[in-house]
Amino acid sequence: MKDKAIKIACIGAGNVGATAAQYCLELELGNVVLCDIVEGLPQGKALDMTQAGPIRGYGSLCTGTNDYADIAGADLVIVTAGLPRKPGMTRLDLLEKNGMIISGICEAIKTQAPDSTVIIVTNPLDVMAWLAYQKLGFPKNRVLGMAGCLDSARMSAFIAMELNVSMKNINTMVLGSHGDTMVPLPSYTTVSGVPITELMTPDRLEALIARTRDGGGEIVRLLKTGSAYYAPAAGAVRMAQAILRNEQQLLPCAALLEGEYGLSDVFVGVPCILGQNGIERIQPLKLTDDEQTALEASAAEVREGIEGLRSLGVL
Ligand code: APR
């Protein structure tokens, strides 16, 4: 690793971006630059988080900015900037708006932080990760999308609640795109090594899988305004930690596929080993025919989004 302090840029200082910044500081992963287009917002949140440091016991610094030049030399960039889907807005409208935002941000990252590893969180994130990969021109190991960590964490939490056991020793693996077509893998789900199928009935497991698929929607309905941010930010920072600390952790992430799992030219969630080079490698897993079919359907949905971007002229 290098001599100078690690620099993390969080682009977007909204709910997910600011929470990601806070988790990075708490873990002392590095100094954080919080960047947003709204004047005062990143500066205010950064100052507030810095002032929490002496109480929470972290020494990392957080600065806020509206100037992309301040992300210069960042080692890792977490992108959460974007618009939520508002009433009356079609999927294509959202693609266009967030596509334009991601394109602009990638231009800045390319100039200011050409050696960084980039984690895309902005939805629809598999499509946005694809767009970022095209715009950045970085090697594929340095462009990732977050979601598998979030979807797997949601499934783990639901299993813990159902079985009344600790969340700590639950292992889950959710592949595919972040949305209705995600692919939870019961055969790779264990509680302290015990297969999940020995701990609950198929009906209950199906119900928890359905709840996982609807995980984001359930929170949107409860909040009424806005969407989930603690767990999405935690997912992004889990990936950042694995990369910045060279952990060689196996985590599900959206990655560019070039033949792995029989898929090409698409970003979709697969198990990745994360370390100092970003995605060190994609881990092959044996899937059942049904799981493989579901993964292909999920990739097809991401491809539709990519075609949408092309039709809008964003790509
Ligand atoms: N550069 C920097 N920041 C921007 C830009 C831009 N070009 N465009 C928008 N933003 C900022 C907004 O000003 C806002 O502060 O992005 C922030 C988004 O924050 P929120 O609206 O609070 O959204 P959040 O809940 O954080 O979600 C962000 O993550 O999980 C996904 O679906 C979610 O796509 C959404 C993203």
Side-chain angles (χ1 to χ4, degrees):
M1 282 263 133
K2 44 190 221 166
D3 307 335
K4 74 173 178 77
I6 295 291
K7 180 168 175 177
I8 302 162
C10 291
I11 305 194
N15 282 336
V16 182
T19 309
Q22 183 192 0
Y23 291 155
C24 287
L25 293 168
E26 298 257 349
L27 288 165
E28 295 193 307
L29 292 183
N31 293 328
V32 176
V33 176
L34 192 57
C35 180
D36 200 287
I37 48 169
V38 178
E39 202 274 318
L41 179 77
Q43 292 87 345
K45 288 191 179 183
L47 191 56
D48 198 7
M49 277 188 246
T50 299
Q51 291 167 358
I55 305 169
R56 299 292 301 159
Y58 52 78
S60 302
L61 298 174
C62 187
T63 48
T65 182
N66 304 117
D67 185 355
Y68 290 127
D70 292 327
I71 71 163
D75 300 279
L76 187 121
V77 184
I78 301 175
V79 181
T80 67
L83 298 181
R85 189 159 153 193
K86 299 197 178 107
M89 214 170 158
T90 64
R91 272 179 78 88
L92 218 57
D93 292 338
L94 183 72
L95 265 183
E96 184 172 25
K97 295 253 180 317
N98 282 351
M100 300 295 282
I101 290 172
I102 295 297
S103 297
I105 288 170
C106 287
E107 278 306 312
I109 298 173
K110 202 173 158 175
T111 330
Q112 302 294 342
D115 299 322
S116 61
T117 300
V118 179
I119 301 174
I120 302 290
V121 184
T122 304
N123 275 313
L125 77 91
D126 305 271
V127 181
M128 292 300 135
W130 165 269
L131 175 64
Y133 173 69
Q134 305 298 324
K135 298 282 174 185
L136 288 165
F138 287 5
K140 62 178 180 174
N141 55 303
R142 290 201 279 121
V143 186
L144 301 79
M146 186 290 300
C149 283
L150 167 62
D151 298 328
S152 298
R154 282 181 171 152
M155 188 164 159
S156 294
F158 292 144
I159 290 170
M161 286 150 66
E162 172 88 7
L163 297 175
N164 196 20
V165 296
S166 163
M167 285 196 272
K168 284 191 178 168
N169 296 316
I170 301 179
N171 278 302
T172 48
M173 183 60 67
V174 180
L175 307 187
S177 81
H178 183 51
D180 298 342
T181 63
M182 71 178 70
V183 187
L185 301 179
S187 50
Y188 293 100
T189 302
T190 60
V191 180
S192 295
V194 180
I196 192 66
T197 45
E198 295 194 16
L199 299 171
M200 68 176 72
T201 62
D203 285 1
R204 284 311 302 155
L205 184 55
E206 265 316 306
L208 297 191
I209 286 175
R211 195 174 175 193
T212 302
R213 265 187 229 291
D214 182 43
E218 182 177 359
I219 291 175
V220 167
R221 290 192 295 278
L222 287 167
L223 294 178
K224 295 182 185 69
T225 54
S227 50
Y229 53 98
Y230 294 109
V237 174
R238 183 69 196 86
M239 293 164 68
Q241 178 186 326
I243 294 166
L244 293 170
R245 296 199 172 144
N246 193 21
E247 287 179 351
Q248 307 295 319
Q249 271 283 343
L250 177 66
L251 295 169
C253 313
L256 177 72
L257 299 184
E258 289 180 322
E260 299 90 346
Y261 290 90
L263 296 164
S264 286
D265 297 329
V266 70
F267 265 73
V268 79
V270 288
C272 299
I273 312 285
L274 299 193
Q276 63 187 348
N277 299 305
I279 298 175
E280 302 282 345
R281 59 189 186 279
I282 292 173
Q283 179 64 42
L285 285 184
K286 216 168 128 207
L287 300 185
T288 63
D289 289 347
D290 284 353
E291 288 164 348
Q292 179 64 33
T293 306
L295 189 62
E296 286 168 15
S298 205
E301 192 185 58
V302 180
R303 282 207 181 91
E304 262 178 47
I306 293 171
E307 283 315 311
L309 282 182
R310 276 209 184 92
S311 71
L312 292 162
V314 180
L315 252 178

